[in-house]
Amino acid sequence: MYKILNTDGNAKRGELTTVHGKIQTPVFMNVGTAAAIKGGVSTQDLNGIKTQVQLSNTYHLHLRPGDQVVKKMGGLQKFMVWDKPILTDSGGFQVFSLSSLRKIKEEGVYFSSHIDGRKIFMGPEESMQIQSNLASTIAMAFDECPSSKADEKYVQDSVDRTTRWLKRCQDEMKRLNSLEDTINKEQILFGINQGAIFENIRIEHAKQIAELDLAGYAIGGLAVGETHDEMYRILDAVIPHLPKDKPTYLMGVGTPANILEGIERGVDFFDCVYPTRNGRHGHLYTNQGKINLFNAKYELDERPIEEGCDCPTCKFYSRSYIRHLLKAKEMLGMRLCVLHNLYFYNTMMEEAREAIENNSFAKYKKQKLEAYI
RNA sequence: GGAUGGGUUCCCGAGUGGCCAAAGGGGGCAGACUGUAAAUCUGUUGACGACGUCUUCGAAGGUUCGAAUCCUUCUCCAUCCA
């Protein structure tokens, strides 16, 4: 299913074959948490900005519209009108990000819905059931993402539980994939390495989950408050202990610099809300660094966001016009910014793949990062 | 012509003797955001030779140790009556 096409140092140029098509890695997955890229971007738009994979969320879709609705509508792909791969996050991250609304137990997590406050329970089996109903291409294991500030004892206990949960996820997926009315019987599972910033816990956990023969291995719990150096140190420590013949996924990361550092260390998959959220907030990625279109200096700037950019936004519109749209809170402003940022990220991944093929990744990275230091 | 209410910092609007360069909102300016409770949140927004000084609350006078706040006149606006 996954094969490495070539390598350049530790950087890998890979290809993951799924029921919904091939994914060229390294890849940046475009985040559409609630089955839509925020900012008014449609699945039709994604075809014009080099999107390979969309990411949606178990927790959000379970609450609304409800995974049963999505199942009755034929699964996420049909629902969204998107025939390429979709990765669904397990809801585990919400245990962390909605920390004020939950209680963690061995069986799973008790949440309070952020929509109406009602109590909901989600454990490994529930998460797998929901993801099976959503019929995504890749399901993520249900994990706990401990805070980067949690103490070692807490992190060790949490990681041990996450390992037990992972085995339950694996069993449940096997069962679900064998059921008659399952939409995607070839759904695959990625496990998630945790351990905060404790190298010993991370490495031990990586070894344990490496034995489970999963379709892919994610590194979670990074970019949650620790420094970049700590994050890179953990990647250096963990990646050698993950299976070489499986794709690696660095969850929730990150800035262009974070991603290039990850690729250099052998990461295949990335996702991050930055290009979409920053786009909505008027922060645009360019090869000269990030710019904030709200700044007064762009009021009369006739240039596109980035000169020479082939994205649907830069082909037509000036910084001045987009700034006006953003300030006037016109929907089009956010949409144009999100399209540009996703195009920037997706193009960067394309360039990175080419660079690895040409054995020039180090040079590419250095040149790309000059604007982001 | 008469009656009443009102004119506050870029805008709206609170404030009725000192704690007022003046609440709050908007707008402006800037910052944050890493598996999205995020079209959100934070800071700042009179002028300087800046822990101090100076100029501001329609205008001009006055009362007071002290006025955006009290008094007088003027002026403008709104509504109502002729």
Side-chain angles (χ1 to χ4, degrees):
Chain A
M1 290 235 285
Y2 173 72
K3 65 181 178 197
I4 295 174
L5 303 179
N6 69 289
T7 57
D8 178 0
N10 289 323
K12 291 183 297 181
R13 167 74 182 89
E15 183 178 87
L16 179 69
T17 304
T18 76
V19 259
H20 300 137
K22 292 179 193 302
I23 300 167
Q24 303 303 324
T25 79
V27 63
F28 178 78
M29 298 185 283
N30 295 193
V31 180
T33 301
I37 307 271
K38 293 184 192 296
V41 175
S42 74
T43 46
Q44 306 310 305
D45 294 320
L46 298 183
N47 292 318
I49 59 169
K50 307 179 184 177
T51 301
Q52 291 196 71
V53 186
Q54 261 201 91
L55 183 150
S56 288
N57 191 284
T58 299
Y59 166 79
H60 297 260
L61 294 174
H62 172 59
L63 292 188
R64 193 167 51 194
D67 46 293
Q68 287 295 344
V69 170
V70 177
K71 183 175 187 180
K72 284 176 186 153
M73 294 305 289
L76 255 188
Q77 279 191 316
K78 196 171 168 204
F79 194 46
M80 295 167 76
V81 193
W82 172 254
D83 60 9
K84 291 176 185 168
I86 297 172
L87 180 144
T88 41
D89 188 25
S90 64
F93 186 70
Q94 277 60 47
V95 178
F96 167 74
S97 66
L98 308 176
S99 58
S100 61
L101 302 177
R102 49 73 165 164
K103 202 185 300 174
I104 304 170
K105 294 272 182 83
E106 181 62 28
E107 63 270 27
V109 179
Y110 294 87
F111 289 89
S112 222
S113 159
H114 72 279
I115 296 167
D116 59 11
R118 79 174 210 273
K119 292 274 179 300
I120 53 165
F121 170 75
M122 194 184 292
E125 290 79 11
E126 286 73 15
S127 179
M128 288 298 110
Q129 177 68 253
I130 295 165
Q131 295 186 76
S132 178
N133 287 341
L134 297 174
S136 55
T137 317
I138 304 170
M140 294 306 300
F142 189 70
D143 67 334
E144 185 196 342
C145 172
S147 159
S148 63
K149 289 169 188 68
D151 63 64
E152 190 162 355
K153 168 81 169 69
Y154 182 90
V155 173
Q156 184 64 62
D157 290 348
S158 163
V159 167
D160 290 343
R161 184 169 45 224
T162 287
T163 309
R164 293 191 293 274
W165 283 358
L166 175 57
K167 290 172 183 162
R168 285 164 58 186
C169 284
Q170 203 174 19
D171 291 345
E172 182 66 4
M173 172 172 279
K174 205 170 289 174
R175 189 182 76 79
L176 291 164
N177 279 354
S178 70
L179 295 180
E180 191 54 38
D181 71 336
T182 293
I183 298 174
N184 177 14
K185 297 186 180 64
E186 294 180 60
Q187 190 175 47
I188 56 177
L189 179 66
F190 279 19
I192 305 174
N193 170 255
Q194 289 289 356
I197 52 170
F198 301 104
E199 291 177 39
N200 51 334
I201 298 177
R202 284 272 180 187
I203 291 170
E204 187 51 38
H205 188 232
K207 287 177 180 171
Q208 287 173 18
I209 64 177
E211 291 170 10
L212 297 179
D213 192 34
L214 296 154
Y217 287 85
I219 301 165
L222 290 178
V224 291
E226 81 287 359
T227 65
H228 285 178
D229 284 345
E230 285 172 321
M231 176 166 99
Y232 300 147
R233 197 189 81 221
I234 294 299
L235 291 180
D236 286 333
V238 170
I239 293 175
H241 298 283
L242 294 174
K244 303 272 182 296
D245 57 343
K246 299 291 174 61
T248 304
Y249 167 22
L250 177 53
M251 304 186 82
V253 172
T255 65
N258 293 159
I259 290 175
L260 295 176
E261 294 291 343
I263 292 173
E264 187 168 55
R265 290 164 169 80
V267 177
D268 294 277
F269 284 69
F270 298 87
D271 80 278
C272 188
V273 303
Y274 268 161
T276 41
R277 184 184 290 166
N278 279 332
R280 274 178 280 132
H281 297 167
H283 287 74
L284 284 304
Y285 293 92
T286 79
N287 285 314
Q288 282 70 50
K290 199 149 63 85
I291 66 174
N292 180 356
L293 269 195
F294 276 97
N295 290 172
K297 62 185 169 187
Y298 300 115
E299 188 177 23
L300 295 172
D301 198 329
E302 297 176 333
R303 293 172 294 173
I305 294 165
E306 169 129 60
E307 246 137 357
C309 174
D310 285 326
C311 84
T313 302
C314 290
K315 265 192 266 186
F316 301 105
Y317 303 105
S318 68
R319 292 175 178 184
S320 171
Y321 177 62
I322 299 165
R323 177 173 193 271
H324 154 68
L325 294 176
L326 289 169
K327 292 188 81 76
K329 296 181 166 55
E330 284 293 338
M331 275 198 294
L332 180 61
M334 285 199 248
R335 182 180 136 75
L336 293 176
C337 289
V338 170
L339 285 172
H340 170 84
N341 278 352
L342 287 177
Y343 184 89
F344 178 92
Y345 266 66
N346 292 334
T347 300
M348 182 179 82
M349 302 312 282
E350 187 176 77
E351 291 165 353
R353 272 179 252 132
E354 282 168 20
I356 296 170
E357 285 166 7
N358 299 329
N359 268 285
S360 58
F361 183 75
K363 188 178 153 207
Y364 170 72
K365 180 190 132 193
K366 183 166 181 283
Q367 162 244 313
K368 193 77 175 175
L369 285 191
E370 271 163 16
Y372 288 92
I373 293 166

